[in-house]
Amino acid sequence: MGERILEVRNLCTSFFTHEGEVKAVNDVSFHIDEQEIVAFVGESGCGKTVTQLSLLQIVPAPPGKITGGEVFFKGRDLLQHKPNSPEMRSVRGAGIAMIFQEPMTSLNPVFTVGHQLTDIIMLHRKVGHKEAWEMGIEALRSVEIPEPEVRMRNYPFELSGGMRQRVMIAMAVYCNPDIIIADEPTTALDVTTQAQVLELLVSLVKQHRKSLIIVTHNLGVVTRYVDRIYVMYAGRIIESGSTEEIMTKPRHPYTIGLLNSVPKIEKERSEKLIPIKGAPPWLIDMDPRCTFLPRCSYACEVCETKEFPKLRRLGESDHFIACHRDIAGSITGSTTGRLDSAGRHDLGGEAHG
Amino acid sequence: MAETVRENPLLKVEQLKMYFPLTKGLLSKTYSWVKAVDGISFEIYPNETFGLVGESGCGKSTTGKCAIRVLQPTEGRVVYKGRDIAGLSKSMLKPYRRELQLIFQDPYGSLNPRQSVFSILKEAVVLDRERHTAVEANERVDELLTLVGLDPDMKSRYPHEMSGGQRQRLGIARALACNPKLVVCDEPVSALDVSIQAQIVNLFRELQAKLGLTYLFIAHDLAVVRHMADRIAIMYLGKIVEVIDSDHIFREALHPYTVALLSALPTTDYYQERKRSRIILEGEVPSPVNKPAGCAFHPRCKYATETCRQVSPGLRNVGRNHCVACHNVAV
Amino acid sequence: MVHDAAVAKHNRLSKRHSGLREKCHTFFKRGILTKISSALVIIFILIAIFCPYLTPYTPYEQSLRNKLKPWSKEHWLGTDNLGRDVLTRVLYGARISIVTGVLSSLWAAVVGAALGLTAGYSRGFLGSFLMRLTDAHLSIPPLILVMVLAPIFGRTILGISIVIGISAIPSYVRMVYGQVLSLRENDYVTAASVIGQSNFKILLKHLLPNCIPVVIVMFTSNVSTAITIEANLAYIGIGIRPPTPAWGVMISEGYNYLVSYPHLAIAPGIMLMLLIISLNVVGDGIRDVIDPRLRGKL
């Protein structure tokens, strides 16, 4: 991995509603290196999206407000700048680009794809309209859209969901940012299209030597492509580490619970899923103790009495957990590095890349 | 499972077709049809879970709604308890209506925001043929809430005061209030968070064991369907392309589309996932208005031959309750 | 669009407890104008109820000896051309305006909502027949319609209210019809029919309650329109008959003396203006509280 490109320390973002302060992002610290792919995993409302919006200072305000922390992007603290300052605007798109979940609403319905693409290219690349148009076609070709010349003159509604998400990817990549943040980039798409779009996004990011942050609720999506994972729960990072560590040896009860809740296609279906009991907590007037306590099946006396545990390193590894206990979790049904005897189709077949 | 003669199916769908007209102009002239469901057949046996998988727009929801006559199919037969209910009028349908229930995808839209939990359930309970006294109805509501794992004290709440998982449980309780035989679950967990999904999936299985329910389980997530269903039908553009026992789907799927779906399915098994190669399908699902001639899947299929481009394959039995609609599969 | 996720989340959070107190909070948070307007509307309503106790005169009491007097201790706003006390007439005018406004809107709302529900739920022939009828109705300018109908129903408060109500019905029908069309696509309507509920019960239990917010919002904006129409009719002499102290009548009578005795027309004019502006502001506020999505639609 290359140099550290983004370092976030103690980021806090709250929404101020008349019922009280909703601590959507609560003391979150993380970093991403050059050419690294990291994922933020968590359920809806856990703060994973708001964390990313806070980096770019595009949290809707009011009611949202970044209440503290530092965001060092290439060594500069972005939170020193006002949301609408020229510095921030130059970071958005050209420094950190964002791809959203719903490709329909992220494109303006009244302009053609070409119009929007050239606008953005002209803004960031300082080229004339004609060149920008050519670059737009090139951009669409690079995201494997057939007949890019025709597609440039299409309106967003004339494209399918997968196609629109490709256009968004083209826009993001062509701004030549250092980091691309993809917020649930494939959630709105069908399974087969999901696979296409993800493969494309990851290969483009690798080809251009960028860093990528994938925000998702789908643990399956991250397994294949991601170097490191941050697991978020109730506004906090509760576990982080390399994908291999997290997916094979999770240590936080929540992560273990999540992995056990997913039905696994390779497994006997007679087995029951092991769900996490209860529901995520309400983010107003939070219990100072561990946020996962009411749902945790490993909770002990320490958890009942002590405050929310700080994120701590496990041994010498890059594996961090925010848990008083240290449980060696068992996840059901994972293979242990060996290959299953392959089925008739190459599902478990040849090694990949 | 060997080829056995089974008992009579609870529901038998034959050559079901559902076309929606596309109209234009002042006189609403029909210029084309959306062939959402285009001639499909399947049986559901008592006490089993039949899964229906496919991508959005493949007609799986429409099929589910036609099967329990929420929609009236354009053509075809829906035989329930030996009677074709496809063309019955609302009053003729009445004896069967409450036995065929539906559970919705959206736990927010499926509950009237102005009704309390109690009112929602009571409405379903008192429509029973036997009259209930207020006390009986009250008891039944409590019983239903407990059955789906909700606290009876929640009765006075409104839907907006509940979480997604609780709302989905309430939706299930409403369906159960009718003492159903067949429940169509239309993407019942896809709107929920992962940890909640597992709770609801387990609830479905408990209820089936407890009440002897039969499910038609519709979802786009093959992993969830495989976990729930005994047999799975895979749909593509309004047709069933493969029916297979779900224990065998992982190793014995034959149709190229099923295989691609399986391969595209993200898994959480780190070592397996990093090693396997994926089959990335080219292109996208064509529109159901303008279906390709021949096999609907041929433009995306790498095995497509001239026959595939011209002749639409029928569903053929290849043994062990396994049917495939593909020219390239030898019987 | 950038903020969708976060905004949706915020909405979800803040929707959790939406009580009357919260609604009042949103209402008065809109600013000083809303507060003043609410106060004015309340004052006007109080005047309408208690006007007999507010002045020693009746609005019909003539005294030709005291005609066209300027303001004095006995007559704060002077007297008109028949020697009637202007202040008394202005206060009684509030009663007539508010009664006609509310009465006409109320009956238009009831009839319109009923027709809209029927049309929306039955669709088919009945539905399109009702909607075409509504379209035809809408193509007639309301003032002309009212001018034709006014003599038929009589130029009393009740008659005029009925007439104005008729002119307002189509807008309710359309609004409720549209609402029903979108509501009936909701899963809970399907669910109700799947559990065997009858169509009529679905209409009553699931569609009507969810239409009511829209009807209330329309009603509040409609009252001020109805008052304006009533004043218009009275002014051009086909509305409520003189000597009833309707503001329109008074403006019309005072118009003849506009140069020498301007207060005769201006006093009711200002009252009319104040009432309508404050009703509109309050109506907007209620709309924002009940359903912010309707902003710009009504």
Side-chain angles (χ1 to χ4, degrees):
Chain A
M1 290 302 148
E3 268 176 56
R4 186 142 304 179
I5 190 160
L6 179 79
E7 170 121 27
V8 176
R9 290 190 205 134
N10 311 100
L11 183 70
C12 292
T13 303
S14 291
F15 290 92
F16 292 91
T17 67
H18 46 253
E19 288 160 52
E21 180 184 353
V22 179
K23 290 186 174 163
V25 178
N26 197 344
D27 197 13
V28 162
S29 305
F30 65 95
H31 63 87
I32 178 167
D33 296 336
E34 268 176 4
Q35 296 185 44
E36 199 182 16
I37 302 180
V38 303
F40 275 76
V41 177
E43 298 176 278
S44 54
C46 74
K48 55 190 192 299
T49 299
V50 182
T51 306
Q52 313 308 328
L53 297 178
S54 306
L55 301 185
L56 293 172
Q57 298 194 43
I58 46 177
V59 179
K65 190 168 185 267
I66 299 169
T67 51
E70 291 156 322
V71 176
F72 287 102
F73 174 63
K74 289 179 165 173
R76 288 180 304 153
D77 184 2
L78 296 184
L79 293 186
Q80 297 299 326
H81 302 296
K82 289 235 154 39
N84 283 324
S85 61
E87 290 86 357
M88 262 333 280
R89 268 183 278 148
S90 72
V91 168
R92 288 181 206 130
I96 305 175
M98 199 152 173
I99 300 166
F100 295 96
Q101 173 175 354
E102 193 23 82
M104 188 68 217
T105 47
S106 335
L107 286 168
N108 190 333
V110 299
F111 295 114
T112 60
V113 168
H115 186 126
Q116 298 181 57
L117 205 50
T118 45
D119 262 7
I120 286 193
I121 291 172
M122 278 157 65
L123 188 70
H124 290 292
R125 292 278 180 102
K126 313 263 178 300
V127 288
H129 185 268
K130 212 169 170 188
E131 283 162 87
W133 189 267
E134 290 302 318
M135 288 168 85
I137 294 175
E138 204 42 53
L140 291 189
R141 192 168 288 135
S142 74
V143 291
E144 293 163 20
I145 288 180
E147 300 176 319
E149 294 85 358
V150 182
R151 293 298 172 200
M152 285 290 272
R153 297 186 191 282
N154 279 157
Y155 286 90
F157 70 87
E158 295 173 288
L159 306 182
S160 68
M163 208 84 98
R164 284 196 290 264
Q165 202 56 297
R166 283 160 192 269
V167 173
M168 292 309 296
I169 293 175
M171 279 185 183
V173 173
Y174 255 69
C175 298
N176 203 16
D178 298 291
I179 303 175
I180 294 175
I181 300 173
D183 184 5
E184 305 266 9
T186 59
T187 306
L189 308 176
D190 277 321
V191 190
T192 54
T193 323
Q194 253 179 30
Q196 290 174 354
V197 171
L198 261 179
E199 290 280 345
L200 175 77
L201 176 63
V202 170
S203 74
L204 274 177
V205 164
K206 287 198 166 146
Q207 181 193 329
H208 291 258
R209 298 170 178 279
K210 306 293 180 205
S211 308
L212 175 66
I213 299 177
I214 298 180
V215 178
T216 181
H217 68 276
N218 190 335
L219 285 159
V221 164
V222 302
T223 317
R224 192 179 181 87
Y225 307 103
V226 170
D227 301 317
R228 270 186 317 119
I229 296 181
Y230 290 99
V231 184
M232 284 189 79
Y233 184 76
R236 287 184 165 108
I237 290 175
I238 50 100
E239 181 161 12
S240 74
S242 72
T243 309
E244 183 174 358
E245 282 276 320
I246 303 266
M247 300 305 288
T248 58
K249 293 187 250 13
R251 301 290 273 277
H252 194 285
Y254 175 65
T255 318
I256 298 168
L258 268 189
L259 284 166
N260 283 338
S261 315
V262 191
K264 291 165 194 73
I265 194 99
E266 316 84 0
K267 282 234 316 160
E268 281 307 307
R269 39 179 295 269
S270 51
E271 254 175 84
K272 254 183 122 177
L273 299 177
I274 310 168
I276 306 175
K277 62 185 179 193
W282 186 220
L283 296 178
I284 292 176
D285 295 330
M286 280 196 294
D287 194 332
R289 294 176 299 173
C290 176
T291 42
F292 191 61
L293 180 61
R295 305 179 72 189
C296 186
S297 45
Y298 299 92
C300 67
E301 227 171 280
V302 186
C303 311
E304 300 277 353
T305 48
K306 281 202 180 166
E307 283 200 353
F308 186 85
K310 285 229 150 45
L311 213 56
R312 63 187 168 94
R313 187 190 285 263
L314 290 172
E316 294 294 298
S317 64
D318 244 357
H319 196 158
F320 292 81
I321 56 168
C323 181
H324 294 299
R325 306 200 50 187
D326 184 8
I327 42 157
S330 66
I331 47 167
T332 55
S334 81
T335 52
T336 44
R338 282 178 300 111
L339 269 184
D340 264 2
S341 55
R344 223 186 298 173
H345 300 286
D346 37 5
L347 290 175
E350 317 109 31
H352 178 76
Chain B
M1 220 176 289
E3 195 85 2
T4 47
V5 182
R6 299 227 220 174
E7 50 191 317
N8 284 333
L10 180 69
L11 184 86
K12 191 169 179 181
V13 171
E14 283 170 19
Q15 285 305 313
L16 185 77
K17 286 183 185 170
M18 185 73 202
Y19 294 177
F20 295 101
L22 286 174
T23 57
K24 66 176 172 189
L26 201 60
L27 297 169
S28 303
K29 210 173 138 199
T30 304
Y31 68 93
S32 186
W33 297 89
V34 180
K35 298 179 176 174
V37 179
D38 201 5
I40 71 172
S41 310
F42 58 88
E43 292 105 55
I44 305 177
Y45 294 93
N47 220 347
E48 83 164 342
T49 303
F50 187 74
L52 209 50
V53 186
E55 296 180 274
S56 55
C58 73
K60 55 189 192 302
S61 282
T62 313
T63 306
K65 285 183 177 153
C66 288
I68 54 163
R69 271 305 310 280
V70 169
L71 290 175
Q72 182 158 12
T74 318
E75 239 176 75
R77 280 155 54 85
V78 178
V79 183
Y80 175 68
K81 282 183 166 174
R83 171 124 199 226
D84 182 9
I85 59 167
L88 294 188
S89 69
K90 192 167 175 173
S91 54
M92 299 276 279
L93 196 64
K94 210 158 187 190
Y96 309 109
R97 180 65 281 161
R98 285 169 64 87
E99 295 181 2
L100 305 168
Q101 283 301 308
L102 180 60
I103 287 163
F104 299 86
Q105 169 177 12
D106 177 12
Y108 292 85
S110 56
L111 302 171
N112 185 346
R114 286 171 197 279
Q115 263 184 317
S116 68
V117 171
F118 180 71
S119 153
I120 289 171
L121 289 182
K122 198 184 135 224
E123 182 184 359
V125 167
V126 297
L127 279 167
D128 227 322
R129 304 199 133 201
E130 316 121 47
R131 294 261 161 232
H132 287 271
T133 64
V135 181
E136 275 169 4
N138 210 345
E139 274 171 11
R140 178 87 175 117
V141 169
D142 284 2
E143 186 195 328
L144 285 166
L145 285 172
T146 324
L147 194 61
V148 297
L150 288 174
D151 188 347
D153 292 341
M154 288 182 115
K155 269 189 291 192
S156 57
R157 293 225 195 149
Y158 282 84
H160 66 88
E161 296 167 331
M162 302 167 82
S163 69
Q166 288 172 332
R167 285 160 157 267
Q168 198 56 295
R169 284 171 193 269
L170 181 56
I172 296 170
R174 174 176 56 196
L176 295 181
C178 305
N179 296 315
K181 297 273 185 297
L182 174 70
V183 180
V184 172
C185 313
D186 188 2
E187 301 261 14
V189 298
S190 54
L192 304 173
D193 272 324
V194 184
S195 70
I196 312 294
Q197 268 187 16
Q199 295 174 2
I200 302 293
V201 165
N202 283 347
L203 176 67
F204 275 123
R205 291 179 73 162
E206 275 164 36
L207 291 172
Q208 183 166 38
K210 218 182 270 179
L211 305 171
L213 298 174
T214 307
Y215 291 132
L216 172 56
F217 197 92
I218 302 168
H220 69 270
D221 185 346
L222 192 49
V224 171
V225 176
R226 201 204 71 114
H227 186 79
M228 275 297 298
D230 302 303
R231 290 186 301 135
I232 301 180
I234 290 97
M235 280 186 80
Y236 188 79
L237 272 183
K239 284 206 156 85
I240 290 181
V241 297
E242 184 156 15
V243 184
I244 186 168
D245 273 351
S246 65
D247 291 322
H248 304 148
I249 189 166
F250 188 50
R251 301 198 186 287
E252 293 177 17
L254 286 173
H255 197 281
Y257 179 64
T258 316
V259 175
L261 263 188
L262 280 165
S263 142
L265 196 73
T267 74
T268 53
D269 188 329
Y270 181 78
Y271 296 115
Q272 180 113 30
E273 180 71 38
R274 289 267 165 159
K275 271 169 198 151
R276 73 173 186 169
S277 60
R278 276 182 154 185
I279 303 164
I280 302 291
L281 281 182
E282 293 289 311
E284 298 186 339
V285 187
S287 130
V289 184
N290 258 326
K291 279 195 214 176
C295 173
F297 187 61
H298 86 255
R300 303 175 77 189
C301 181
K302 59 180 173 186
Y303 308 109
T305 61
E306 202 45 48
T307 326
C308 303
R309 287 183 196 101
Q310 285 159 6
V311 186
S312 175
L315 211 56
R316 290 175 304 156
N317 198 329
V318 293
R320 300 214 296 173
N321 298 322
H322 186 178
C323 299
V324 188
C326 179
H327 293 302
N328 297 327
V329 171
V331 181
Chain C
M1 75 192 175
V2 168
H3 319 308
D4 266 2
V7 168
K9 176 172 167 182
H10 168 246
N11 287 345
R12 210 175 328 140
L13 293 174
S14 57
K15 242 189 178 164
R16 196 124 148 182
H17 314 279
S18 54
L20 190 66
R21 226 176 80 201
E22 189 198 312
K23 286 187 171 152
C24 288
H25 182 87
T26 0
F27 181 76
F28 288 112
K29 211 177 58 189
R30 295 178 83 247
I32 184 79
L33 201 60
T34 311
K35 288 175 190 160
I36 297 177
S37 301
S38 325
L40 273 176
V41 169
I42 291 169
I43 291 173
F44 272 113
I45 291 172
L46 289 178
I47 290 176
I49 296 171
F50 296 110
C51 51
Y53 308 102
L54 296 177
T55 75
Y57 311 100
T58 72
Y60 304 108
E61 215 173 293
Q62 301 184 5
S63 161
L64 289 176
R65 204 179 323 150
N66 289 329
K67 71 174 188 179
L68 294 172
K69 280 274 156 57
W71 70 274
S72 63
K73 255 194 191 139
E74 292 80 37
H75 303 283
W76 289 3
L77 285 178
T79 58
D80 67 3
N81 53 339
L82 295 174
R84 297 171 294 195
D85 182 49
V86 174
L87 180 65
T88 307
R89 286 179 66 79
V90 165
L91 294 182
Y92 273 82
R95 182 180 261 189
I96 286 157
S97 283
I98 289 174
V99 167
T100 27
V102 171
L103 208 61
S104 60
S105 305
L106 202 63
W107 107 271
V110 172
V111 175
L115 290 177
L117 273 174
T118 323
Y121 199 71
S122 63
R123 289 208 274 204
F125 172 75
L126 184 64
S128 34
F129 175 74
L130 282 172
M131 290 320 291
R132 293 297 82 77
L133 209 65
T134 310
D135 289 346
H137 189 165
L138 273 175
S139 66
I140 309 168
L143 209 60
I144 291 178
L145 184 79
V146 170
M147 282 164 74
V148 174
L149 293 179
I152 303 173
F153 286 92
R155 290 165 61 183
T156 59
I157 293 182
L158 187 67
I160 291 297
S161 298
I162 293 173
V163 170
I164 295 173
I166 289 176
S167 78
I169 287 174
S171 48
Y172 283 98
V173 178
R174 285 195 78 115
M175 196 69 209
V176 172
Y177 175 75
Q179 192 74 6
V180 171
L181 283 196
S182 76
L183 283 174
R184 56 176 294 157
E185 295 306 318
N186 271 319
D187 282 345
Y188 59 80
V189 176
T190 316
S193 91
V194 172
I195 60 169
Q197 191 61 282
S198 70
N199 282 348
F200 183 68
K201 277 272 183 64
I202 292 177
L203 196 69
L204 227 55
K205 231 175 153 154
H206 297 286
L207 298 178
L208 179 64
N210 285 295
C211 284
I212 284 191
V214 178
V215 175
I216 291 177
V217 169
M218 275 219 73
F219 175 83
T220 50
S221 69
N222 216 278
V223 172
S224 65
T225 318
I227 290 175
T228 323
I229 294 178
E230 184 275 318
N232 273 329
L233 290 178
Y235 179 78
I236 55 178
I238 55 165
I240 292 171
R241 269 177 214 282
T244 318
W247 285 338
V249 173
M250 296 166 67
I251 295 171
S252 147
E253 285 172 351
Y255 181 71
N256 301 327
Y257 307 91
L258 198 58
V259 180
S260 36
Y261 306 99
H263 65 278
L264 291 183
I266 287 175
I270 286 176
M271 293 292 266
L272 187 64
M273 188 183 80
L274 281 180
L275 179 61
I276 283 168
I277 290 177
S278 51
L279 274 176
N280 281 336
V281 173
V282 170
D284 279 2
I286 291 176
R287 179 203 61 201
D288 282 2
V289 170
I290 291 183
D291 198 345
R293 286 167 306 170
L294 292 173
R295 178 175 294 171
K297 278 197 201 163
L298 289 172

